[in-house]
Amino acid sequence: MTHTVEPVVIAGSVSVGGQPVPVDVELLWERLQLAEERMRHAVAVRRAAPVRRSRSRGGDRQS
């Protein structure tokens, strides 16, 4: 189960190679939420699909 949390911003930037890089935190949270929605949808589709039975590979065959 995923819990949504509010973003925590520390100084509003990140460091890449020791150099501060400005980040649009709201944009990052929006993209994360979109990715989470896509993942939830994919999981729901997979769970709704009929269960496929796996075939045994020779060991259980009766001749």
Side-chain angles (χ1 to χ4, degrees):
M1 181 178 193
T2 303
H3 299 281
T4 306
V5 296
E6 292 299 317
V8 176
V9 180
I10 301 173
S13 65
V14 295
S15 176
V16 176
Q19 300 296 320
V21 178
V23 176
D24 183 358
V25 177
E26 291 301 318
L27 176 62
L28 292 176
W29 277 102
E30 287 175 19
R31 291 179 65 187
L32 179 62
Q33 288 173 336
L34 285 173
E36 185 179 14
E37 287 174 19
R38 280 188 234 125
M39 181 61 69
R40 288 179 185 273
H41 177 72
V43 169
V45 167
R46 185 169 182 166
R47 287 183 178 166
V51 177
R52 294 176 56 188
R53 300 182 107 192
S54 61
R55 291 193 252 164
S56 58
R57 296 192 173 180
D60 295 336
R61 289 187 186 178
Q62 296 177 359
S63 301

Short mmCIF file of all heavy atoms in Angstrom, two decimals:
data_model
loop_
_atom_site.label_atom_id
_atom_site.label_comp_id
_atom_site.label_asym_id
_atom_site.label_seq_id
_atom_site.Cartn_x
_atom_site.Cartn_y
_atom_site.Cartn_z
N MET A 1 0.84 -1.17 0.00
CA MET A 1 0.00 0.00 0.00
C MET A 1 0.89 1.23 0.00
O MET A 1 1.84 1.33 0.75
CB MET A 1 -0.89 -0.03 1.23
CG MET A 1 -1.81 1.10 1.34
SD MET A 1 -2.79 0.80 2.83
CE MET A 1 -4.05 1.95 2.63
N THR A 2 0.58 2.18 -0.86
CA THR A 2 1.37 3.38 -0.97
C THR A 2 0.70 4.51 -0.20
O THR A 2 -0.50 4.70 -0.31
CB THR A 2 1.51 3.80 -2.44
OG1 THR A 2 2.09 2.71 -3.16
CG2 THR A 2 2.37 5.02 -2.59
N HIS A 3 1.49 5.22 0.56
CA HIS A 3 0.98 6.37 1.29
C HIS A 3 1.53 7.63 0.65
O HIS A 3 2.73 7.74 0.44
CB HIS A 3 1.41 6.32 2.75
CG HIS A 3 0.90 5.12 3.47
ND1 HIS A 3 -0.38 5.03 3.94
CD2 HIS A 3 1.48 3.94 3.77
CE1 HIS A 3 -0.56 3.86 4.51
NE2 HIS A 3 0.56 3.18 4.42
N THR A 4 0.65 8.56 0.32
CA THR A 4 1.08 9.82 -0.26
C THR A 4 1.49 10.76 0.86
O THR A 4 0.78 10.89 1.86
CB THR A 4 -0.05 10.44 -1.08
OG1 THR A 4 -0.50 9.48 -2.03
CG2 THR A 4 0.40 11.69 -1.78
N VAL A 5 2.63 11.39 0.69
CA VAL A 5 3.12 12.33 1.69
C VAL A 5 3.31 13.68 1.04
O VAL A 5 3.47 13.78 -0.17
CB VAL A 5 4.45 11.86 2.32
CG1 VAL A 5 4.26 10.57 3.08
CG2 VAL A 5 5.52 11.70 1.27
N GLU A 6 3.29 14.68 1.84
CA GLU A 6 3.54 16.02 1.33
C GLU A 6 5.03 16.19 1.06
O GLU A 6 5.87 15.63 1.77
CB GLU A 6 3.09 17.07 2.35
CG GLU A 6 1.58 17.12 2.53
CD GLU A 6 0.86 17.47 1.25
OE1 GLU A 6 1.31 18.39 0.54
OE2 GLU A 6 -0.15 16.82 0.96
N PRO A 7 5.38 16.93 0.02
CA PRO A 7 6.80 17.12 -0.29
C PRO A 7 7.52 17.92 0.81
O PRO A 7 6.95 18.82 1.41
CB PRO A 7 6.79 17.90 -1.59
CG PRO A 7 5.44 18.52 -1.66
CD PRO A 7 4.51 17.63 -0.89
N VAL A 8 8.73 17.53 1.06
CA VAL A 8 9.57 18.26 2.01
C VAL A 8 10.67 18.90 1.20
O VAL A 8 11.44 18.22 0.52
CB VAL A 8 10.18 17.30 3.07
CG1 VAL A 8 11.12 18.07 3.98
CG2 VAL A 8 9.08 16.63 3.84
N VAL A 9 10.73 20.21 1.23
CA VAL A 9 11.71 20.94 0.43
C VAL A 9 12.80 21.46 1.35
O VAL A 9 12.53 22.12 2.34
CB VAL A 9 11.05 22.11 -0.31
CG1 VAL A 9 12.09 22.86 -1.13
CG2 VAL A 9 9.91 21.63 -1.16
N ILE A 10 14.03 21.13 1.01
CA ILE A 10 15.17 21.64 1.76
C ILE A 10 15.95 22.54 0.82
O ILE A 10 16.59 22.08 -0.11
CB ILE A 10 16.06 20.49 2.29
CG1 ILE A 10 15.24 19.58 3.19
CG2 ILE A 10 17.28 21.04 2.99
CD1 ILE A 10 15.96 18.34 3.64
N ALA A 11 15.85 23.82 1.03
CA ALA A 11 16.56 24.84 0.27
C ALA A 11 16.10 24.95 -1.19
O ALA A 11 16.61 25.75 -1.92
CB ALA A 11 18.06 24.62 0.34
N GLY A 12 15.17 24.13 -1.65
CA GLY A 12 14.62 24.26 -2.98
C GLY A 12 15.56 23.90 -4.11
O GLY A 12 15.31 24.26 -5.25
N SER A 13 16.66 23.22 -3.82
CA SER A 13 17.57 22.83 -4.89
C SER A 13 18.25 21.52 -4.54
O SER A 13 18.22 21.07 -3.40
CB SER A 13 18.63 23.92 -5.11
OG SER A 13 19.44 24.04 -3.98
N VAL A 14 18.84 20.92 -5.53
CA VAL A 14 19.61 19.71 -5.33
C VAL A 14 21.02 19.96 -5.81
O VAL A 14 21.30 20.92 -6.51
CB VAL A 14 18.99 18.50 -6.10
CG1 VAL A 14 17.64 18.15 -5.55
CG2 VAL A 14 18.94 18.79 -7.57
N SER A 15 21.90 19.06 -5.45
CA SER A 15 23.29 19.21 -5.83
C SER A 15 23.66 18.13 -6.84
O SER A 15 23.40 16.95 -6.63
CB SER A 15 24.18 19.09 -4.59
OG SER A 15 25.53 19.15 -4.96
N VAL A 16 24.24 18.54 -7.96
CA VAL A 16 24.72 17.62 -8.97
C VAL A 16 26.19 17.92 -9.18
O VAL A 16 26.55 19.02 -9.62
CB VAL A 16 23.94 17.75 -10.30
CG1 VAL A 16 24.54 16.85 -11.36
CG2 VAL A 16 22.47 17.47 -10.10
N GLY A 17 27.03 16.97 -8.85
CA GLY A 17 28.46 17.19 -8.99
C GLY A 17 28.97 18.30 -8.09
O GLY A 17 29.92 19.00 -8.43
N GLY A 18 28.31 18.48 -6.97
CA GLY A 18 28.73 19.52 -6.03
C GLY A 18 28.19 20.90 -6.35
O GLY A 18 28.40 21.85 -5.60
N GLN A 19 27.50 21.04 -7.48
CA GLN A 19 26.95 22.34 -7.88
C GLN A 19 25.44 22.35 -7.65
O GLN A 19 24.75 21.41 -8.04
CB GLN A 19 27.22 22.60 -9.37
CG GLN A 19 28.68 22.63 -9.73
CD GLN A 19 29.40 23.78 -9.06
OE1 GLN A 19 28.86 24.88 -8.96
NE2 GLN A 19 30.60 23.52 -8.58
N PRO A 20 24.93 23.39 -6.99
CA PRO A 20 23.47 23.46 -6.77
C PRO A 20 22.73 23.64 -8.09
O PRO A 20 23.15 24.39 -8.96
CB PRO A 20 23.30 24.67 -5.85
CG PRO A 20 24.52 25.48 -6.04
CD PRO A 20 25.62 24.54 -6.44
N VAL A 21 21.63 22.91 -8.24
CA VAL A 21 20.80 22.99 -9.44
C VAL A 21 19.39 23.33 -8.99
O VAL A 21 18.82 22.61 -8.16
CB VAL A 21 20.81 21.64 -10.19
CG1 VAL A 21 19.90 21.71 -11.41
CG2 VAL A 21 22.22 21.24 -10.57
N PRO A 22 18.80 24.43 -9.50
CA PRO A 22 17.43 24.76 -9.11
C PRO A 22 16.46 23.70 -9.60
O PRO A 22 16.62 23.15 -10.69
CB PRO A 22 17.17 26.11 -9.77
CG PRO A 22 18.21 26.24 -10.82
CD PRO A 22 19.36 25.37 -10.44
N VAL A 23 15.45 23.41 -8.78
CA VAL A 23 14.49 22.36 -9.11
C VAL A 23 13.08 22.91 -8.93
O VAL A 23 12.78 23.56 -7.94
CB VAL A 23 14.69 21.14 -8.18
CG1 VAL A 23 13.64 20.09 -8.44
CG2 VAL A 23 16.07 20.56 -8.35
N ASP A 24 12.23 22.62 -9.91
CA ASP A 24 10.82 22.95 -9.77
C ASP A 24 10.16 21.78 -9.05
O ASP A 24 9.79 20.77 -9.65
CB ASP A 24 10.19 23.16 -11.15
CG ASP A 24 8.74 23.59 -11.07
OD1 ASP A 24 8.19 23.69 -9.94
OD2 ASP A 24 8.15 23.82 -12.13
N VAL A 25 10.07 21.90 -7.73
CA VAL A 25 9.60 20.80 -6.90
C VAL A 25 8.17 20.40 -7.24
O VAL A 25 7.85 19.21 -7.28
CB VAL A 25 9.73 21.17 -5.40
CG1 VAL A 25 9.18 20.07 -4.52
CG2 VAL A 25 11.18 21.45 -5.06
N GLU A 26 7.33 21.36 -7.51
CA GLU A 26 5.94 21.05 -7.86
C GLU A 26 5.87 20.20 -9.12
O GLU A 26 5.08 19.25 -9.19
CB GLU A 26 5.13 22.34 -8.03
CG GLU A 26 4.91 23.09 -6.74
CD GLU A 26 4.18 22.26 -5.70
OE1 GLU A 26 3.21 21.55 -6.05
OE2 GLU A 26 4.59 22.31 -4.53
N LEU A 27 6.69 20.52 -10.11
CA LEU A 27 6.71 19.73 -11.34
C LEU A 27 7.16 18.29 -11.06
O LEU A 27 6.58 17.34 -11.58
CB LEU A 27 7.64 20.36 -12.38
CG LEU A 27 7.82 19.58 -13.68
CD1 LEU A 27 6.48 19.46 -14.40
CD2 LEU A 27 8.86 20.23 -14.56
N LEU A 28 8.17 18.14 -10.21
CA LEU A 28 8.63 16.79 -9.86
C LEU A 28 7.54 15.99 -9.17
O LEU A 28 7.34 14.80 -9.45
CB LEU A 28 9.87 16.86 -8.98
CG LEU A 28 11.13 17.40 -9.65
CD1 LEU A 28 12.26 17.50 -8.63
CD2 LEU A 28 11.53 16.53 -10.81
N TRP A 29 6.78 16.61 -8.24
CA TRP A 29 5.70 15.90 -7.55
C TRP A 29 4.58 15.54 -8.52
O TRP A 29 4.00 14.47 -8.43
CB TRP A 29 5.17 16.72 -6.38
CG TRP A 29 6.03 16.54 -5.17
CD1 TRP A 29 6.96 17.39 -4.69
CD2 TRP A 29 6.06 15.39 -4.31
NE1 TRP A 29 7.57 16.85 -3.59
CE2 TRP A 29 7.03 15.63 -3.33
CE3 TRP A 29 5.36 14.19 -4.29
CZ2 TRP A 29 7.31 14.70 -2.34
CZ3 TRP A 29 5.64 13.28 -3.29
CH2 TRP A 29 6.61 13.54 -2.33
N GLU A 30 4.29 16.43 -9.48
CA GLU A 30 3.26 16.12 -10.47
C GLU A 30 3.67 14.92 -11.31
O GLU A 30 2.87 14.03 -11.58
CB GLU A 30 3.02 17.32 -11.37
CG GLU A 30 2.26 18.45 -10.70
CD GLU A 30 2.15 19.67 -11.59
OE1 GLU A 30 2.32 19.55 -12.82
OE2 GLU A 30 1.88 20.76 -11.05
N ARG A 31 4.94 14.89 -11.74
CA ARG A 31 5.42 13.77 -12.54
C ARG A 31 5.41 12.47 -11.73
O ARG A 31 5.07 11.41 -12.25
CB ARG A 31 6.82 14.06 -13.06
CG ARG A 31 6.82 15.18 -14.10
CD ARG A 31 8.19 15.48 -14.60
NE ARG A 31 8.71 14.33 -15.33
CZ ARG A 31 9.95 14.25 -15.78
NH1 ARG A 31 10.80 15.24 -15.57
NH2 ARG A 31 10.37 13.19 -16.44
N LEU A 32 5.77 12.56 -10.46
CA LEU A 32 5.74 11.38 -9.61
C LEU A 32 4.31 10.86 -9.44
O LEU A 32 4.07 9.66 -9.51
CB LEU A 32 6.34 11.70 -8.24
CG LEU A 32 6.36 10.56 -7.23
CD1 LEU A 32 7.22 9.41 -7.75
CD2 LEU A 32 6.88 11.05 -5.89
N GLN A 33 3.36 11.76 -9.26
CA GLN A 33 1.96 11.36 -9.12
C GLN A 33 1.45 10.71 -10.41
O GLN A 33 0.72 9.71 -10.35
CB GLN A 33 1.10 12.56 -8.75
CG GLN A 33 1.32 13.01 -7.32
CD GLN A 33 0.58 14.29 -6.99
OE1 GLN A 33 0.27 15.09 -7.87
NE2 GLN A 33 0.31 14.50 -5.71
N LEU A 34 1.84 11.23 -11.57
CA LEU A 34 1.43 10.62 -12.83
C LEU A 34 2.01 9.21 -12.97
O LEU A 34 1.32 8.28 -13.38
CB LEU A 34 1.88 11.48 -14.01
CG LEU A 34 1.08 12.75 -14.26
CD1 LEU A 34 1.76 13.59 -15.35
CD2 LEU A 34 -0.34 12.41 -14.66
N ALA A 35 3.28 9.06 -12.61
CA ALA A 35 3.91 7.74 -12.67
C ALA A 35 3.21 6.77 -11.72
O ALA A 35 2.98 5.60 -12.07
CB ALA A 35 5.39 7.86 -12.33
N GLU A 36 2.85 7.24 -10.53
CA GLU A 36 2.16 6.38 -9.57
C GLU A 36 0.79 5.97 -10.10
O GLU A 36 0.39 4.81 -9.97
CB GLU A 36 2.01 7.11 -8.24
CG GLU A 36 1.41 6.24 -7.16
CD GLU A 36 1.30 6.94 -5.83
OE1 GLU A 36 1.43 8.18 -5.77
OE2 GLU A 36 1.07 6.25 -4.83
N GLU A 37 0.07 6.89 -10.72
CA GLU A 37 -1.24 6.56 -11.30
C GLU A 37 -1.10 5.52 -12.40
O GLU A 37 -1.90 4.58 -12.48
CB GLU A 37 -1.90 7.83 -11.85
CG GLU A 37 -2.41 8.76 -10.78
CD GLU A 37 -2.92 10.07 -11.36
OE1 GLU A 37 -3.22 10.12 -12.57
OE2 GLU A 37 -3.03 11.04 -10.60
N ARG A 38 -0.08 5.67 -13.26
CA ARG A 38 0.14 4.69 -14.33
C ARG A 38 0.45 3.33 -13.75
O ARG A 38 -0.03 2.30 -14.25
CB ARG A 38 1.28 5.15 -15.24
CG ARG A 38 0.83 6.17 -16.24
CD ARG A 38 1.93 6.44 -17.25
NE ARG A 38 2.17 7.86 -17.24
CZ ARG A 38 3.32 8.45 -17.03
NH1 ARG A 38 4.41 7.77 -16.85
NH2 ARG A 38 3.42 9.75 -17.04
N MET A 39 1.25 3.29 -12.69
CA MET A 39 1.62 2.02 -12.07
C MET A 39 0.38 1.37 -11.44
O MET A 39 0.17 0.18 -11.60
CB MET A 39 2.70 2.23 -11.02
CG MET A 39 3.14 0.95 -10.34
SD MET A 39 3.85 -0.25 -11.46
CE MET A 39 5.35 0.57 -11.90
N ARG A 40 -0.42 2.15 -10.75
CA ARG A 40 -1.65 1.61 -10.15
C ARG A 40 -2.57 1.04 -11.23
O ARG A 40 -3.17 -0.02 -11.05
CB ARG A 40 -2.38 2.69 -9.35
CG ARG A 40 -1.70 3.05 -8.06
CD ARG A 40 -2.51 4.15 -7.36
NE ARG A 40 -1.84 4.62 -6.18
CZ ARG A 40 -1.96 4.07 -4.98
NH1 ARG A 40 -2.75 3.02 -4.82
NH2 ARG A 40 -1.32 4.55 -3.94
N HIS A 41 -2.68 1.74 -12.35
CA HIS A 41 -3.54 1.27 -13.44
C HIS A 41 -2.99 -0.05 -14.00
O HIS A 41 -3.75 -0.99 -14.23
CB HIS A 41 -3.61 2.32 -14.54
CG HIS A 41 -4.40 1.89 -15.73
ND1 HIS A 41 -5.77 1.77 -15.70
CD2 HIS A 41 -4.02 1.51 -16.96
CE1 HIS A 41 -6.20 1.36 -16.87
NE2 HIS A 41 -5.15 1.19 -17.66
N ALA A 42 -1.68 -0.12 -14.21
CA ALA A 42 -1.08 -1.34 -14.75
C ALA A 42 -1.29 -2.52 -13.81
O ALA A 42 -1.59 -3.64 -14.25
CB ALA A 42 0.41 -1.12 -15.00
N VAL A 43 -1.17 -2.29 -12.51
CA VAL A 43 -1.37 -3.36 -11.53
C VAL A 43 -2.84 -3.80 -11.55
O VAL A 43 -3.14 -4.99 -11.52
CB VAL A 43 -0.95 -2.90 -10.12
CG1 VAL A 43 -1.41 -3.88 -9.06
CG2 VAL A 43 0.56 -2.72 -10.06
N ALA A 44 -3.75 -2.84 -11.64
CA ALA A 44 -5.17 -3.19 -11.67
C ALA A 44 -5.51 -4.00 -12.91
O ALA A 44 -6.27 -4.98 -12.84
CB ALA A 44 -6.02 -1.91 -11.63
N VAL A 45 -4.95 -3.64 -14.05
CA VAL A 45 -5.19 -4.39 -15.28
C VAL A 45 -4.65 -5.80 -15.16
O VAL A 45 -5.30 -6.77 -15.53
CB VAL A 45 -4.55 -3.66 -16.49
CG1 VAL A 45 -4.53 -4.55 -17.72
CG2 VAL A 45 -5.31 -2.37 -16.78
N ARG A 46 -3.45 -5.91 -14.61
CA ARG A 46 -2.86 -7.24 -14.47
C ARG A 46 -3.67 -8.12 -13.52
O ARG A 46 -3.86 -9.31 -13.77
CB ARG A 46 -1.43 -7.11 -13.96
CG ARG A 46 -0.72 -8.42 -13.90
CD ARG A 46 0.74 -8.25 -13.67
NE ARG A 46 1.36 -9.57 -13.66
CZ ARG A 46 2.63 -9.77 -13.73
NH1 ARG A 46 3.44 -8.76 -13.83
NH2 ARG A 46 3.12 -10.98 -13.70
N ARG A 47 -4.15 -7.54 -12.43
CA ARG A 47 -4.94 -8.31 -11.48
C ARG A 47 -6.30 -8.71 -12.06
O ARG A 47 -6.86 -9.74 -11.70
CB ARG A 47 -5.16 -7.51 -10.20
CG ARG A 47 -3.92 -7.42 -9.36
CD ARG A 47 -4.19 -6.69 -8.08
NE ARG A 47 -2.98 -6.67 -7.25
CZ ARG A 47 -2.83 -5.89 -6.21
NH1 ARG A 47 -3.80 -5.08 -5.83
NH2 ARG A 47 -1.71 -5.93 -5.52
N ALA A 48 -6.83 -7.90 -12.96
CA ALA A 48 -8.14 -8.19 -13.55
C ALA A 48 -8.06 -9.24 -14.66
O ALA A 48 -9.07 -9.82 -15.02
CB ALA A 48 -8.75 -6.90 -14.11
N ALA A 49 -6.85 -9.48 -15.17
CA ALA A 49 -6.69 -10.46 -16.25
C ALA A 49 -6.95 -11.86 -15.72
O ALA A 49 -6.69 -12.16 -14.55
CB ALA A 49 -5.28 -10.37 -16.82
N PRO A 50 -7.48 -12.73 -16.58
CA PRO A 50 -7.71 -14.12 -16.14
C PRO A 50 -6.40 -14.80 -15.77
O PRO A 50 -5.37 -14.54 -16.38
CB PRO A 50 -8.37 -14.78 -17.35
CG PRO A 50 -8.13 -13.88 -18.50
CD PRO A 50 -7.85 -12.52 -17.96
N VAL A 51 -6.46 -15.67 -14.80
CA VAL A 51 -5.27 -16.38 -14.34
C VAL A 51 -4.89 -17.41 -15.38
O VAL A 51 -5.72 -18.21 -15.82
CB VAL A 51 -5.54 -17.07 -12.98
CG1 VAL A 51 -4.33 -17.87 -12.55
CG2 VAL A 51 -5.93 -16.04 -11.95
N ARG A 52 -3.62 -17.39 -15.78
CA ARG A 52 -3.14 -18.37 -16.75
C ARG A 52 -2.50 -19.52 -16.00
O ARG A 52 -1.71 -19.32 -15.09
CB ARG A 52 -2.11 -17.73 -17.67
CG ARG A 52 -2.71 -16.65 -18.55
CD ARG A 52 -1.68 -15.98 -19.38
NE ARG A 52 -0.95 -16.95 -20.19
CZ ARG A 52 0.12 -16.67 -20.91
NH1 ARG A 52 0.59 -15.45 -20.92
NH2 ARG A 52 0.73 -17.60 -21.62
N ARG A 53 -2.86 -20.72 -16.39
CA ARG A 53 -2.27 -21.89 -15.75
C ARG A 53 -0.97 -22.21 -16.46
O ARG A 53 -0.92 -22.23 -17.68
CB ARG A 53 -3.21 -23.07 -15.84
CG ARG A 53 -4.54 -22.79 -15.15
CD ARG A 53 -5.40 -23.98 -15.23
NE ARG A 53 -5.42 -24.54 -13.88
CZ ARG A 53 -5.89 -25.72 -13.57
NH1 ARG A 53 -6.37 -26.49 -14.50
NH2 ARG A 53 -5.89 -26.14 -12.33
N SER A 54 0.06 -22.47 -15.71
CA SER A 54 1.32 -22.84 -16.33
C SER A 54 1.32 -24.32 -16.66
O SER A 54 0.75 -25.14 -15.94
CB SER A 54 2.49 -22.51 -15.40
OG SER A 54 2.36 -23.25 -14.21
N ARG A 55 1.93 -24.64 -17.76
CA ARG A 55 2.03 -26.03 -18.16
C ARG A 55 3.25 -26.65 -17.52
O ARG A 55 4.29 -26.02 -17.45
CB ARG A 55 2.14 -26.15 -19.68
CG ARG A 55 0.86 -25.76 -20.37
CD ARG A 55 0.92 -26.20 -21.79
NE ARG A 55 1.08 -25.00 -22.63
CZ ARG A 55 1.47 -25.05 -23.89
NH1 ARG A 55 1.76 -26.16 -24.46
NH2 ARG A 55 1.56 -23.95 -24.58
N SER A 56 3.13 -27.88 -17.09
CA SER A 56 4.30 -28.56 -16.53
C SER A 56 5.22 -28.93 -17.67
O SER A 56 4.82 -29.09 -18.82
CB SER A 56 3.88 -29.79 -15.74
OG SER A 56 3.16 -30.66 -16.57
N ARG A 57 6.48 -29.10 -17.36
CA ARG A 57 7.48 -29.36 -18.40
C ARG A 57 7.95 -30.81 -18.42
O ARG A 57 9.13 -31.07 -18.28
CB ARG A 57 8.66 -28.44 -18.19
CG ARG A 57 8.26 -26.99 -18.37
CD ARG A 57 9.43 -26.12 -18.45
NE ARG A 57 9.01 -24.77 -18.77
CZ ARG A 57 9.81 -23.77 -18.92
NH1 ARG A 57 11.09 -23.94 -18.78
NH2 ARG A 57 9.35 -22.59 -19.22
N GLY A 58 7.02 -31.71 -18.57
CA GLY A 58 7.39 -33.10 -18.82
C GLY A 58 7.41 -34.01 -17.60
O GLY A 58 7.11 -35.17 -17.71
N GLY A 59 7.75 -33.52 -16.44
CA GLY A 59 7.89 -34.38 -15.28
C GLY A 59 6.58 -34.98 -14.79
O GLY A 59 6.56 -36.05 -14.21
N ASP A 60 5.46 -34.32 -15.06
CA ASP A 60 4.17 -34.79 -14.55
C ASP A 60 3.35 -35.54 -15.60
O ASP A 60 2.22 -35.90 -15.34
CB ASP A 60 3.35 -33.60 -14.05
CG ASP A 60 4.02 -32.93 -12.86
OD1 ASP A 60 4.79 -33.60 -12.17
OD2 ASP A 60 3.77 -31.73 -12.64
N ARG A 61 3.91 -35.76 -16.76
CA ARG A 61 3.14 -36.43 -17.82
C ARG A 61 2.98 -37.90 -17.54
O ARG A 61 3.89 -38.56 -17.07
CB ARG A 61 3.83 -36.26 -19.17
CG ARG A 61 3.75 -34.87 -19.69
CD ARG A 61 4.29 -34.83 -21.08
NE ARG A 61 4.35 -33.43 -21.54
CZ ARG A 61 4.81 -33.07 -22.69
NH1 ARG A 61 5.29 -33.97 -23.52
NH2 ARG A 61 4.84 -31.82 -23.04
N GLN A 62 1.81 -38.39 -17.83
CA GLN A 62 1.55 -39.82 -17.69
C GLN A 62 1.41 -40.41 -19.08
O GLN A 62 0.64 -39.92 -19.89
CB GLN A 62 0.29 -40.07 -16.89
CG GLN A 62 0.40 -39.59 -15.47
CD GLN A 62 -0.91 -39.79 -14.72
OE1 GLN A 62 -1.89 -40.26 -15.29
NE2 GLN A 62 -0.91 -39.45 -13.46
N SER A 63 2.17 -41.45 -19.38
CA SER A 63 2.13 -42.06 -20.71
C SER A 63 1.29 -43.28 -20.74
O SER A 63 1.19 -44.02 -19.85
CB SER A 63 3.54 -42.42 -21.16
OG SER A 63 4.34 -41.27 -21.19
#
